[in-house]
Amino acid sequence: MSFTLTPIGHVRGGRVDVIDDDWGTSRATIALDPDKFTPDALAGLADFSHAEVIFLFDKVPDDKIETGARHPRGRADWPLVGIFAQRGKNRPNRLGLTTCRIVAVDGLTIEVEGLDAINGTPVLDIKPVMVGFLPRGDVRQPGWSHELMQGYWDKS
């Protein structure tokens, strides 16, 4: 079984280069497709502080897709872990997910901060962050993942 997904919009502005770190202050706009949506689609979104943005890593070529295990960021000092035990862009379905801060909503656009997607990236869905959907209980993760994230949102 397969599905066809059509972008609801695209990332505009922000970064143009794929760089692994310092995404925290990156600002961009998500522009919804005006042929499919009216501003009603974003009604009420400005009442939320954050949104989850699901997007497509459309610049990843087929021959770079990972289906098994690899060292995150190619670092041999980090363990060999499966593609589903990390958040790398070379995923089988190329889906990215980021929780970012909503700065403003205007018409068919959402200005966001901390979206780790580059200019032109296709956006597949947007969901408001609600406390009731956040993880329940303690969140656990291995030590290497803390090291990986040290400079991801802020400059190291």
Side-chain angles (χ1 to χ4, degrees):
M1 179 183 297
S2 65
F3 296 89
T4 301
L5 297 176
T6 303
I8 62 167
H10 289 82
V11 175
R12 299 288 179 232
R15 289 191 183 176
V16 294
D17 296 318
V18 178
I19 302 168
D20 282 331
D21 290 319
D22 194 26
W23 288 98
T25 59
S26 177
R27 284 216 179 170
T29 300
I30 298 170
L32 295 187
D33 183 342
D35 292 334
K36 297 179 185 154
F37 301 99
T38 67
D40 287 351
L42 298 177
L45 187 62
D47 295 334
F48 291 88
S49 63
H50 291 78
E52 294 173 321
V53 179
I54 302 165
F55 54 91
L56 185 69
F57 290 116
D58 64 317
K59 304 289 188 231
V60 177
D62 288 345
D63 65 335
K64 298 294 182 185
I65 296 297
E66 300 282 345
T67 59
R70 68 175 192 151
H71 295 282
R73 291 194 185 178
R75 288 191 42 181
D77 60 323
W78 288 342
L80 191 65
V81 294
I83 193 63
F84 299 123
Q86 54 187 291
R87 294 183 64 111
K89 65 185 173 297
N90 299 53
R91 317 184 67 70
N93 283 322
R94 298 177 179 94
L95 294 179
L97 167 67
T98 303
T99 301
C100 51
R101 188 172 73 85
I102 297 171
V103 176
V105 177
D106 183 26
L108 288 173
T109 64
I110 310 160
E111 184 180 355
V112 294
E113 184 177 76
L115 175 62
D116 55 348
I118 61 173
N119 182 49
T121 297
V123 175
L124 301 174
D125 205 352
I126 301 162
K127 296 183 179 210
V129 172
M130 297 180 185
V131 172
F133 285 102
L134 295 178
R136 293 167 300 286
D138 295 334
V139 174
R140 178 177 37 105
Q141 65 188 73
W144 66 264
S145 65
H146 290 285
E147 190 177 340
L148 180 141
M149 295 303 296
Q150 281 180 342
Y152 196 82
W153 297 114
D154 300 311
K155 290 183 181 180
S156 312

